[in-house]
Amino acid sequence: MAPPSHCPIDANNGVHHNGGGAVPVETDTTAVPTLPQGSQHLDAEEFRRQGHQVVDFIADYYASIGDYPVHPNVTPGFLRRQLPAEAPSRPEPGAFAAALRDVRDLVLPGMTHWQSPRHFAHFPASSSTAGALGEALAAGINAVPFTWAASPAATELEMVVVDWLGKALHLPETLLFCGGGGGTLLGTSCEAILCALVAARERKLAEIGSRRIGDLVVYCSDQTHFAFRKAARIAGIHRDNCREVATRRADAFALSPAELRAAMQADVDAGLVPLFLCATVGTTQTTAVDPVRDLCAAAAPHGVWVHVDAAYAGSAFICPEFRHLADGVGAADSVSTNPHKWLLANTDCCAMWVRRPALLTAALGIEQEYILKAGAAAEGHDVVDYKDWSMALTRRFRALKLWLVLRCHGVEGLRGHVRSHVGMAAAFEGMVRDDARFEVVAPRRFALVCFRLRSSEKLGGEKTANKLNRTLLEEVNATSSGPYMSSAKVGGMYMLRCAIGSTLTEERHVREAWKVVQDRAASLLRKMEIVYNVFA
């Protein structure tokens, strides 16, 4: 489709393309270049002018986002062939306006539009005016709050915000600064899992000796996000020492405490050392909820660190009706969730809380050189230096964005946001159940519906069900004006995933999506029946 032509770009500035080659630039080998003054790079009036252009561009993008196919029909290399192979040696005339026009004409048509109201494929990357402008504020201030002294207000705002959020999510005080624990804001849950795993490793090796790192074993279910296995490899855990405990449909694909207990005991009997358990509240494939309290009890006799990955579903704890799903997290060593998924905070923003921050800082802290010391103002005070809470020293001022979202929407506003998506998912689930051709495969707890088209015995039954649903998904996603969904394969069953969570999604988008699914299913079944009758 044609990109929105009303985006505010100065039409008097040209765009130069040459089929992928470098933009020709005349080189003057004799002239001595004049170095620009530093203030020109952050000129207040130029920032104001170009900033208005960007805000208008984004506003127009959201106003017309429904006109784009959610997922582009492009092939690898499509954009590289349209852009020069080298950066310009000097800025072209009207470079900023020309670049914005390229975003409009070249980049946006090749994007998957995560903020589209018809994006149902993945858990949301939620967006809001407050979240986007908070991100802009943080980018404009551009602080690097790796220590308290490096940005005192940034550090203390982060401490305030993680306690605010923890209380809003009904987390136990033992995980908050106000109760002896503490939290931080990272980029993703992948980082949170890795940081917790390194802390667990260092604690355990201090007990048994560093030479036994090859004996350490970590545990998860076969539904745990692959980020955990990646983190384990980075942390030095042998591939063979990552235990994936099988789940069953009868248990709604949740991790069984009894099977975890048996796996740990078998490792102990073999002379190995249980180290870490990654429990999940809201698995990626089906939003299964592991029984955290019972898993913590199973892990406790072995001194195993328990991390609760609630990247998506943790946001739902803000609603009292979902609070029971967090039962037992007070016994866990660490918990993480992503406000950028469902709490309007814009990517990236992961909150992690730990019961014993000293274990985290002991593993990730460094011996401070003079430039990193807190300074005279902090002497005699127990300050937080967030460089010791994560892998990176350079970190972003994420707290400003989350603080602005909490200020502008309030806890009740965020509850309403989550509940609206849960309500739309419940409506979609009802539509699926009302059509005898389909079935809901896994229990719907939040705003994800896992479903599939039944394959009648006449058409091959279970033997053809997976192929049938794979084809259905391909046809649904090939509908240019239709929804974009994803799939999962759990317990040998291929299923479609409809994840509702875009800020712009309304009930009409959900009903339109279901109509596309029904229409494509009817067409597909007719084709299969024709083939069956011909070859029967």
Side-chain angles (χ1 to χ4, degrees):
M1 48 81 61
S5 58
H6 51 283
C7 289
I9 302 172
D10 185 354
N12 293 323
N13 293 301
V15 186
H16 304 290
H17 304 296
N18 61 351
V23 176
V25 177
E26 292 185 6
T27 303
D28 184 350
T29 59
T30 60
V32 178
T34 302
L35 296 178
Q37 297 297 317
S39 61
Q40 293 180 350
H41 299 309
L42 277 177
D43 178 75
E45 289 308 312
E46 188 69 358
F47 187 90
R48 193 186 315 278
R49 185 182 69 82
Q50 294 180 350
H52 286 163
Q53 282 186 285
V54 170
V55 169
D56 287 342
F57 184 100
I58 296 172
D60 285 340
Y61 169 65
Y62 282 133
S64 60
I65 196 171
D67 296 335
Y68 287 95
V70 186
H71 191 66
N73 182 21
V74 295
T75 56
F78 78 99
L79 183 60
R80 295 178 64 192
R81 288 189 291 270
Q82 299 182 76
L83 296 176
E86 297 176 5
S89 16
R90 294 187 180 88
E92 60 191 293
F96 191 79
L100 275 183
R101 187 160 57 254
D102 277 0
V103 173
R104 184 194 68 191
D105 297 341
L106 302 179
V107 176
L108 289 184
M111 292 291 292
T112 296
H113 298 280
W114 282 68
Q115 304 311 316
S116 170
R118 303 191 310 276
H119 188 296
F120 303 117
H122 309 292
F123 290 143
S126 65
S127 188
S128 66
T129 300
L133 295 180
E135 186 75 23
L137 272 174
I141 295 171
N142 204 27
V144 187
F146 54 83
T147 63
W148 180 89
S151 285
T155 296
E156 296 193 17
L157 186 63
E158 187 163 341
M159 296 172 70
V160 168
V161 163
V162 290
D163 268 15
W164 275 14
L165 181 62
K167 291 175 183 178
L169 298 180
H170 306 103
L171 297 182
E173 280 199 353
T174 51
L175 287 167
L176 311 182
F177 281 111
C178 62
T184 184
L185 297 177
L186 305 171
T188 68
S189 286
C190 307
E191 295 174 55
I193 292 170
L194 178 58
C195 290
L197 183 52
V198 170
R201 182 197 67 192
E202 293 305 292
R203 181 186 66 169
K204 185 66 71 173
L205 292 179
E207 298 172 4
I208 65 174
S210 60
R211 293 184 178 181
R212 295 197 63 190
I213 188 171
D215 295 334
L216 299 179
V217 185
V218 298
Y219 304 84
C220 64
S221 84
D222 58 5
Q223 301 303 302
T224 303
H225 195 278
F226 65 82
F228 173 60
R229 287 170 284 281
K230 183 174 183 177
R233 292 202 298 271
I234 295 172
I237 306 301
H238 288 183
R239 290 175 183 262
D240 293 340
N241 285 2
C242 185
R243 304 282 182 262
E244 290 186 8
V245 180
T247 59
R248 295 182 293 268
R249 188 180 184 185
D251 297 328
F253 304 111
L255 176 57
S256 163
E259 298 211 11
L260 173 68
R261 190 178 291 110
M264 289 183 174
Q265 189 58 53
D267 285 326
V268 170
D269 294 343
L272 300 174
V273 182
L275 170 68
F276 190 95
L277 166 66
C278 186
T280 308
V281 176
T283 58
T284 299
Q285 300 208 82
T286 65
T287 63
V289 175
D290 292 339
V292 175
R293 186 186 303 280
D294 293 341
L295 292 173
C296 287
H302 303 289
V304 166
W305 183 296
V306 179
H307 177 78
V308 177
D309 176 16
Y312 161 68
S315 295
F317 297 167
I318 202 168
C319 302
E321 61 266 31
F322 290 111
R323 191 183 311 175
H324 67 283
L325 297 175
D327 286 350
V329 298
D333 295 278
S334 52
V335 180
S336 62
T337 190
N338 292 351
H340 70 235
K341 275 190 166 64
W342 211 0
L343 292 182
L344 301 175
N346 284 52
T347 306
D348 57 9
C349 185
C350 168
M352 179 176 75
W353 295 270
V354 291
R355 273 199 298 126
R356 289 166 287 182
L359 295 177
L360 196 65
T361 58
L364 300 174
I366 61 172
E367 293 184 6
Q368 295 180 342
E369 297 177 0
Y370 179 77
I371 195 172
L372 299 181
K373 287 185 180 297
E379 290 183 6
H381 298 275
D382 187 17
V383 300
V384 168
D385 285 341
Y386 272 124
K387 67 176 177 57
D388 299 332
W389 289 60
S390 64
M391 307 304 296
L393 295 180
T394 301
R395 51 198 317 278
R396 304 176 62 234
F397 189 7
R398 296 184 181 93
L400 188 58
K401 169 177 57 181
L402 184 54
W403 175 75
L404 196 61
V405 168
L406 290 167
R407 286 282 302 272
C408 293
H409 293 277
V411 174
E412 285 299 330
L414 295 176
R415 283 175 181 159
H417 177 70
V418 169
R419 284 169 174 159
S420 69
H421 290 139
V422 172
M424 285 186 273
F428 187 88
E429 178 189 28
M431 298 174 208
V432 174
R433 293 190 184 280
D434 288 343
D435 190 326
R437 298 172 299 175
F438 292 86
E439 66 172 324
V440 175
V441 180
R444 182 201 56 78
R445 290 187 176 86
F446 307 102
L448 172 71
V449 181
C450 296
F451 67 102
R452 68 173 182 164
L453 180 62
R454 301 179 193 270
S455 180
S456 66
E457 290 303 319
K458 178 181 177 181
L459 300 179
E462 285 299 317
K463 292 182 180 179
T464 62
N466 285 354
K467 182 179 179 181
L468 175 66
N469 281 279
R470 187 177 291 108
T471 303
L472 175 61
L473 179 63
E474 291 172 355
E475 295 202 4
V476 167
N477 286 347
T479 307
S480 62
S481 61
Y484 179 46
M485 296 185 181
S486 60
S487 66
K489 192 172 183 181
V490 183
M493 292 184 296
Y494 185 97
M495 62 192 78
L496 280 71
R497 297 172 72 258
C498 178
I500 298 170
S502 169
T503 308
L504 298 172
T505 299
E506 301 173 1
E507 187 172 340
R508 64 184 177 90
H509 299 114
V510 176
R511 294 192 177 279
E512 290 167 1
W514 175 238
K515 180 66 164 55
V516 171
V517 172
Q518 286 184 307
D519 290 347
R520 301 320 302 160
S523 174
L524 182 58
L525 290 174
R526 282 195 299 270
K527 292 176 183 176
M528 291 187 67
E529 287 174 359
I530 291 172
V531 171
Y532 174 83
N533 290 331
V534 169
F535 291 99

